PDB file of all heavy atoms in Angstrom:
ATOM      1  N   ALA A 275    -147.066-126.101 -72.202  1.00 98.00           N
ATOM      2  CA  ALA A 275    -147.745-127.322 -71.873  1.00 98.00           C
ATOM      3  C   ALA A 275    -147.540-127.787 -70.401  1.00 98.00           C
ATOM      4  O   ALA A 275    -146.618-127.374 -69.743  1.00 98.00           O
ATOM      5  CB  ALA A 275    -147.306-128.448 -72.846  1.00 98.00           C
ATOM      6  N   VAL A 276    -148.462-128.611 -69.966  1.00 98.00           N
ATOM      7  CA  VAL A 276    -148.324-129.255 -68.630  1.00 98.00           C
ATOM      8  C   VAL A 276    -147.455-130.488 -68.825  1.00 98.00           C
ATOM      9  O   VAL A 276    -147.535-131.177 -69.865  1.00 98.00           O
ATOM     10  CB  VAL A 276    -149.742-129.638 -68.125  1.00 98.00           C
ATOM     11  CG1 VAL A 276    -149.534-130.504 -66.831  1.00 98.00           C
ATOM     12  CG2 VAL A 276    -150.560-128.394 -67.905  1.00 98.00           C
ATOM     13  N   MET A 277    -146.614-130.750 -68.006  1.00 98.00           N
ATOM     14  CA  MET A 277    -145.726-131.945 -67.997  1.00 98.00           C
ATOM     15  C   MET A 277    -146.475-133.167 -67.448  1.00 98.00           C
ATOM     16  O   MET A 277    -147.229-133.095 -66.493  1.00 98.00           O
ATOM     17  CB  MET A 277    -144.422-131.695 -67.217  1.00 98.00           C
ATOM     18  CG  MET A 277    -143.604-130.556 -67.705  1.00 98.00           C
ATOM     19  SD  MET A 277    -142.815-130.898 -69.418  1.00 98.00           S
ATOM     20  CE  MET A 277    -144.030-130.004 -70.433  1.00 98.00           C
ATOM     21  N   LYS A 278    -146.045-134.333 -67.984  1.00 97.00           N
ATOM     22  CA  LYS A 278    -146.649-135.539 -67.512  1.00 97.00           C
ATOM     23  C   LYS A 278    -146.370-135.894 -66.070  1.00 97.00           C
ATOM     24  O   LYS A 278    -147.122-136.615 -65.359  1.00 97.00           O
ATOM     25  CB  LYS A 278    -146.349-136.707 -68.343  1.00 97.00           C
ATOM     26  CG  LYS A 278    -147.115-136.779 -69.705  1.00 97.00           C
ATOM     27  CD  LYS A 278    -146.972-138.090 -70.411  1.00 97.00           C
ATOM     28  CE  LYS A 278    -147.884-138.263 -71.544  1.00 97.00           C
ATOM     29  NZ  LYS A 278    -147.723-139.514 -72.303  1.00 97.00           N
ATOM     30  N   ASN A 279    -145.218-135.388 -65.579  1.00 95.00           N
ATOM     31  CA  ASN A 279    -144.857-135.720 -64.157  1.00 95.00           C
ATOM     32  C   ASN A 279    -145.247-134.682 -63.208  1.00 95.00           C
ATOM     33  O   ASN A 279    -144.895-134.719 -62.057  1.00 95.00           O
ATOM     34  CB  ASN A 279    -143.303-135.869 -64.098  1.00 95.00           C
ATOM     35  CG  ASN A 279    -142.547-134.508 -64.303  1.00 95.00           C
ATOM     36  OD1 ASN A 279    -143.151-133.579 -64.743  1.00 95.00           O
ATOM     37  ND2 ASN A 279    -141.320-134.462 -63.907  1.00 95.00           N
ATOM     38  N   SER A 280    -146.210-133.844 -63.683  1.00 98.00           N
ATOM     39  CA  SER A 280    -146.787-132.797 -62.654  1.00 98.00           C
ATOM     40  C   SER A 280    -147.472-133.498 -61.497  1.00 98.00           C
ATOM     41  O   SER A 280    -148.264-134.406 -61.640  1.00 98.00           O
ATOM     42  CB  SER A 280    -147.741-131.903 -63.429  1.00 98.00           C
ATOM     43  OG  SER A 280    -148.376-131.094 -62.511  1.00 98.00           O
ATOM     44  N   ALA A 281    -147.115-132.951 -60.294  1.00 96.00           N
ATOM     45  CA  ALA A 281    -147.695-133.476 -59.097  1.00 96.00           C
ATOM     46  C   ALA A 281    -149.161-132.963 -58.892  1.00 96.00           C
ATOM     47  O   ALA A 281    -149.905-133.516 -58.105  1.00 96.00           O
ATOM     48  CB  ALA A 281    -146.902-133.168 -57.918  1.00 96.00           C
ATOM     49  N   ASN A 282    -149.430-131.876 -59.613  1.00 97.00           N
ATOM     50  CA  ASN A 282    -150.750-131.167 -59.472  1.00 97.00           C
ATOM     51  C   ASN A 282    -151.193-130.822 -60.956  1.00 97.00           C
ATOM     52  O   ASN A 282    -151.292-129.649 -61.294  1.00 97.00           O
ATOM     53  CB  ASN A 282    -150.609-129.848 -58.631  1.00 97.00           C
ATOM     54  CG  ASN A 282    -150.144-130.222 -57.228  1.00 97.00           C
ATOM     55  OD1 ASN A 282    -150.984-130.659 -56.424  1.00 97.00           O
ATOM     56  ND2 ASN A 282    -148.887-129.984 -56.972  1.00 97.00           N
ATOM     57  N   PRO A 283    -151.570-131.804 -61.736  1.00 98.00           N
ATOM     58  CA  PRO A 283    -151.950-131.587 -63.115  1.00 98.00           C
ATOM     59  C   PRO A 283    -153.153-130.675 -63.219  1.00 98.00           C
ATOM     60  O   PRO A 283    -153.156-129.888 -64.165  1.00 98.00           O
ATOM     61  CB  PRO A 283    -152.204-133.008 -63.660  1.00 98.00           C
ATOM     62  CG  PRO A 283    -152.499-133.836 -62.435  1.00 98.00           C
ATOM     63  CD  PRO A 283    -151.547-133.260 -61.387  1.00 98.00           C
ATOM     64  N   ASP A 284    -154.147-130.819 -62.406  1.00 97.00           N
ATOM     65  CA  ASP A 284    -155.340-129.934 -62.525  1.00 97.00           C
ATOM     66  C   ASP A 284    -155.006-128.394 -62.255  1.00 97.00           C
ATOM     67  O   ASP A 284    -155.493-127.602 -63.093  1.00 97.00           O
ATOM     68  CB  ASP A 284    -156.464-130.428 -61.603  1.00 97.00           C
ATOM     69  CG  ASP A 284    -157.027-131.773 -61.941  1.00 97.00           C
ATOM     70  OD1 ASP A 284    -156.865-132.184 -63.165  1.00 97.00           O
ATOM     71  OD2 ASP A 284    -157.602-132.390 -61.066  1.00 97.00           O
ATOM     72  N   ALA A 285    -154.264-128.229 -61.267  1.00 98.00           N
ATOM     73  CA  ALA A 285    -153.804-126.882 -60.889  1.00 98.00           C
ATOM     74  C   ALA A 285    -152.919-126.291 -61.957  1.00 98.00           C
ATOM     75  O   ALA A 285    -152.942-125.160 -62.406  1.00 98.00           O
ATOM     76  CB  ALA A 285    -153.158-126.811 -59.546  1.00 98.00           C
ATOM     77  N   ALA A 286    -152.113-127.204 -62.595  1.00 98.00           N
ATOM     78  CA  ALA A 286    -151.147-126.817 -63.600  1.00 98.00           C
ATOM     79  C   ALA A 286    -151.928-126.406 -64.874  1.00 98.00           C
ATOM     80  O   ALA A 286    -151.629-125.350 -65.551  1.00 98.00           O
ATOM     81  CB  ALA A 286    -150.164-127.915 -63.925  1.00 98.00           C
ATOM     82  N   LYS A 287    -152.978-127.143 -65.241  1.00 98.00           N
ATOM     83  CA  LYS A 287    -153.780-126.841 -66.340  1.00 98.00           C
ATOM     84  C   LYS A 287    -154.553-125.536 -66.143  1.00 98.00           C
ATOM     85  O   LYS A 287    -154.766-124.788 -67.068  1.00 98.00           O
ATOM     86  CB  LYS A 287    -154.793-128.027 -66.690  1.00 98.00           C
ATOM     87  CG  LYS A 287    -155.682-127.779 -67.920  1.00 98.00           C
ATOM     88  CD  LYS A 287    -154.926-127.582 -69.165  1.00 98.00           C
ATOM     89  CE  LYS A 287    -155.750-127.652 -70.367  1.00 98.00           C
ATOM     90  NZ  LYS A 287    -156.879-126.756 -70.440  1.00 98.00           N
ATOM     91  N   ALA A 288    -154.994-125.334 -64.920  1.00 98.00           N
ATOM     92  CA  ALA A 288    -155.748-124.052 -64.611  1.00 98.00           C
ATOM     93  C   ALA A 288    -154.918-122.876 -64.797  1.00 98.00           C
ATOM     94  O   ALA A 288    -155.261-121.835 -65.356  1.00 98.00           O
ATOM     95  CB  ALA A 288    -156.318-124.100 -63.197  1.00 98.00           C
ATOM     96  N   PHE A 289    -153.641-122.990 -64.423  1.00 98.00           N
ATOM     97  CA  PHE A 289    -152.692-121.856 -64.517  1.00 98.00           C
ATOM     98  C   PHE A 289    -152.416-121.655 -66.001  1.00 98.00           C
ATOM     99  O   PHE A 289    -152.260-120.561 -66.483  1.00 98.00           O
ATOM    100  CB  PHE A 289    -151.357-122.154 -63.794  1.00 98.00           C
ATOM    101  CG  PHE A 289    -150.342-121.051 -63.958  1.00 98.00           C
ATOM    102  CD1 PHE A 289    -150.512-119.856 -63.366  1.00 98.00           C
ATOM    103  CD2 PHE A 289    -149.191-121.283 -64.765  1.00 98.00           C
ATOM    104  CE1 PHE A 289    -149.508-118.783 -63.612  1.00 98.00           C
ATOM    105  CE2 PHE A 289    -148.193-120.348 -64.966  1.00 98.00           C
ATOM    106  CZ  PHE A 289    -148.453-119.093 -64.390  1.00 98.00           C
ATOM    107  N   LEU A 290    -152.196-122.834 -66.766  1.00 98.00           N
ATOM    108  CA  LEU A 290    -151.988-122.720 -68.208  1.00 98.00           C
ATOM    109  C   LEU A 290    -153.163-122.062 -68.869  1.00 98.00           C
ATOM    110  O   LEU A 290    -152.831-121.198 -69.777  1.00 98.00           O
ATOM    111  CB  LEU A 290    -151.720-124.164 -68.764  1.00 98.00           C
ATOM    112  CG  LEU A 290    -151.391-124.205 -70.225  1.00 98.00           C
ATOM    113  CD1 LEU A 290    -150.065-123.547 -70.530  1.00 98.00           C
ATOM    114  CD2 LEU A 290    -151.280-125.622 -70.729  1.00 98.00           C
ATOM    115  N   ASP A 291    -154.303-122.410 -68.474  1.00 98.00           N
ATOM    116  CA  ASP A 291    -155.422-121.710 -69.117  1.00 98.00           C
ATOM    117  C   ASP A 291    -155.481-120.180 -68.819  1.00 98.00           C
ATOM    118  O   ASP A 291    -155.867-119.380 -69.697  1.00 98.00           O
ATOM    119  CB  ASP A 291    -156.827-122.250 -68.530  1.00 98.00           C
ATOM    120  CG  ASP A 291    -156.961-123.731 -69.007  1.00 98.00           C
ATOM    121  OD1 ASP A 291    -156.367-124.125 -69.992  1.00 98.00           O
ATOM    122  OD2 ASP A 291    -157.804-124.414 -68.382  1.00 98.00           O
ATOM    123  N   PHE A 292    -155.045-119.812 -67.619  1.00 98.00           N
ATOM    124  CA  PHE A 292    -155.013-118.370 -67.280  1.00 98.00           C
ATOM    125  C   PHE A 292    -154.107-117.583 -68.162  1.00 98.00           C
ATOM    126  O   PHE A 292    -154.293-116.369 -68.387  1.00 98.00           O
ATOM    127  CB  PHE A 292    -154.585-118.277 -65.793  1.00 98.00           C
ATOM    128  CG  PHE A 292    -154.509-116.848 -65.368  1.00 98.00           C
ATOM    129  CD1 PHE A 292    -155.732-116.067 -64.980  1.00 98.00           C
ATOM    130  CD2 PHE A 292    -153.366-116.128 -65.082  1.00 98.00           C
ATOM    131  CE1 PHE A 292    -155.666-114.818 -64.612  1.00 98.00           C
ATOM    132  CE2 PHE A 292    -153.281-114.832 -64.655  1.00 98.00           C
ATOM    133  CZ  PHE A 292    -154.414-114.127 -64.418  1.00 98.00           C
TER     134      PHE A 292
END
Side-chain angles (χ1 to χ4, degrees):
V276 174
M277 297 294 100
K278 280 193 171 181
N279 69 346
S280 173
N282 298 283
D284 291 340
K287 181 60 167 60
F289 177 72
L290 183 62
D291 290 343
F292 180 75

